[in-house]
Amino acid sequence: MWEQMVNDDRPATGLGPGASTHRADMVEAWREQRRARRVRPDADEPRTTGPDGFTLRRWRRAGVFGADAVRRVERLLADLRDARSDDETAPDWALLLLARCLDGDPLAQLPSAVKAVLEHRDSRDVVTAMTVVHEAGLPWLTPPGQTRLEHLMGSEPTVVPREMRPTPTEDTAGAFAAQYALRHDGLAGLSPTVCARILPWVPVGIVDDLIDAGVVTRDDEPWKTRPDAGERDYLRARLTPEQVDQETAEALGWQEYLRRRRFLDGEHVDALDAEAADPAGENGGETDEDVYSLLERVAEGDAGAIKGLEYVLPRYLVLTLRQVRDGALTGNWPADILADRGLWRLMAALWEPKAAVSPRRSTFHALSALRHAYDSLCAGDLKKARAQVELLVEHDQGDPGQEAEAWNMSAYLALLDENLDGALAALGQIGENSPRTAHNRELLERRRTRARNDRPHPSNPYLELGLPHQSPFWKQRYRDLRREFADDREEAARLNRAMRRIQQAEQQEDLSDFFVLPLDADAFRLPDDPPVTLVPPLEPLPRRTAPRHADDVETVRRRALADLLPTLLNAPRRPDHQHRTTH
């Protein structure tokens, strides 16, 4: 059979007269067939002469098996040799051994030489070397190191036995533990020790992953370990937003912080569009306004903002808002709500006093009492006005400006009763003698010199129209009231009398017979403060990195590869034993 196989591989010699003629052609065809069988798969690549059998046998001493592995190792050694710089600190013996191996005399001590050189090189060189070790199948690592290398180079997450994982002493940077947790969705199980080790060097996206997993908190102060100032500010905003100042927020472009700061500073906050106001769709489409736009409406006394705020405020602030609303039923509020001057406009809009208000109850009640007395005067309800003014003048521990207005209203009420002595006595209680106070005192003194029948009407016609003294809007107010009381002849007569008195005084440019009230409109004005009680606390800055970004995970993996350097042996493991010969 063997002869038959050999003969089948030879060219047929043939018999007969034409055999000699065709022999040359047959031999050439046979040679062509032989050449076709020997065509290599990589025939398109330039043909290079590989290491011969003798060289391959010598490289086995260094644990390098096969022509492809030899070529990879030679490229690695050449790169390590050629990358030497002037300040190279690698030991000379190691560099000489690399050169000797490249010159065709590889030794078993090659792994120790590579290790000695890599200990003085960049971590990228270590990663490159470990990649060659893996791809060339070099038995240069300890068994645990080899297991870790295969895990790190694998495309799919694999389970590494606990005994093969590095100990905390070996995993000094925490890189292997971090990448293992990333590949197995186990960040939440990382120990505080590992987290402390990786925080200084992992990408900030991984720090965000640790924050989201709950293993890094404000107590860990991760910003202290970051070399980049921008990252330090970012992590502070993520974990301790209350410690961030406006300059830092501006540098971060943190719009939520800046809008909140502008609102608390009393500045106008630009409205957001509907999507930005409710990105999560949590308000059920009830409002297109964000929390600060709604709070601005509250600060202006717009009770219509309450419903919208119930959808955007935290639960505990919704309860506070309801306390504000419910307190208006009786005029009683908790002390913390009364202390927030930014809520006063809303409280005043919700509350309509049914009787005289005691100014002693709070600062808000004192102002409400003053406004209630003034509103009663303007409405012509003198009985209610007198009851309120009496409580005001009895309260001698209030604001001096409000106290002056109370005594001025008391004087006006006395004037309406032609009690000029009582009116002058009331004005005498005003400490500061302002120009308007002096005007009112002179008016009363003049009036005392006239006979009762010669005196003009005591009321201020502006007040009869429900306006402050000398208001420029009296004509429009008069027309509105005339339409409102078109069927009330008595009220119409009163309005017409007030209109004629104002017209005559303006024509004569003489308002000296009008009692001036108020003395200072600011004393009646509600504050413009923001309602700080309802401002939600500043939420941490949302993360700005992609969760478990591939580039971040790769950075951790490469660091873990570089940390395999200590597992590099001094000589290769014997191929027939799974243990190292020396370390």
Side-chain angles (χ1 to χ4, degrees), residues 376-406:
S376 299
L377 274 177
C378 291
D381 192 341
L382 301 184
K383 180 179 179 181
K384 187 180 291 186
R386 286 191 176 92
Q388 185 63 78
V389 169
E390 286 178 5
L391 290 179
L392 283 168
V393 296
E394 291 174 0
H395 179 53
D396 55 358
Q397 296 180 349
D399 178 80
Q402 295 177 7
E403 186 177 347
E405 295 294 341

Side-chain angles (χ1 to χ4, degrees), residues 30 86 128 145 269 357 377 411 440 469 493 495 539:
W30 173 74
D86 295 338
T128 301
V269 179
V357 179
L377 274 177
N440 289 343
H469 176 68
L495 294 174
E539 294 292 330

